[in-house]
Amino acid sequence: MLKEFKNFIMTGNVIDFAVAVIMATALGAVINGFVNNIVMPFVGHFAGGVDFADKKIVLDEAVVDAAGVVTSPENAIMWGSWVNTIINLIIVGFIMFLIVKAYNKTKAPVEEPAPAGPTAEELLAEIRDALKK
């Protein structure tokens, strides 16, 4: 039974899936770094020097006591971070589209067998039937 389980685990599809998960994680980290460190500063430059990661709508200000210790943290909607995430999603989707498109080009097209013509017996039967008429 252990041998059968090992054969099941080591099939190509399971290994392909594991490689895909590892590559997707690495690709996600690379794209996240690309968005946060290259794309968003570029977008922020043309938006007047705005850093979208810091953009937020403050619902409740932080409460600080006399000693300067925060007793109640700030409650805010971090919409700039959400914009970064949306841009990240668009870039990830585009790159995954390119990868899948390139992968599909590498796969050999499956050739369908040519339709089989009539057999010799069928042709002879047709000729016989045509001669009887």
Side-chain angles (χ1 to χ4, degrees):
M1 175 140 172
L2 182 61
K3 184 178 179 181
E4 293 165 353
F5 180 72
K6 185 177 178 183
N7 288 339
F8 172 73
I9 294 298
M10 296 308 288
T11 59
N13 291 340
V14 174
I15 293 172
D16 289 346
F17 182 67
V19 169
V21 168
I22 292 168
M23 289 302 295
T25 303
L27 182 66
V30 168
I31 293 172
N32 195 17
F34 176 73
V35 168
N36 291 334
N37 299 324
I38 296 174
V39 173
M40 291 314 294
F42 186 71
V43 170
H45 172 73
F46 288 106
V50 175
D51 182 12
F52 281 97
D54 296 335
K55 291 296 179 185
K56 60 187 173 185
I57 299 172
V58 177
L59 301 175
D60 297 318
E61 294 285 337
V63 178
V64 180
D65 63 7
V69 177
V70 176
T71 58
S72 177
E74 176 182 76
N75 184 14
I77 299 172
M78 305 296 287
W79 67 269
S81 179
W82 185 68
V83 169
N84 286 355
T85 305
I86 296 296
I87 292 173
N88 193 355
L89 174 68
I90 291 169
I91 292 173
V92 167
F94 179 70
I95 290 175
M96 292 306 293
F97 169 75
L98 293 177
I99 290 171
V100 169
K101 189 174 178 181
Y103 174 73
N104 286 337
K105 283 185 179 181
T106 64
K107 290 180 10 180
V110 177
E111 294 183 22
E112 295 182 22
T119 63
E121 289 82 17
E122 292 172 344
L123 289 174
L124 290 172
E126 286 181 24
I127 293 170
R128 182 194 64 208
D129 293 341
L131 290 174
K132 283 184 180 179
K133 291 182 184 181

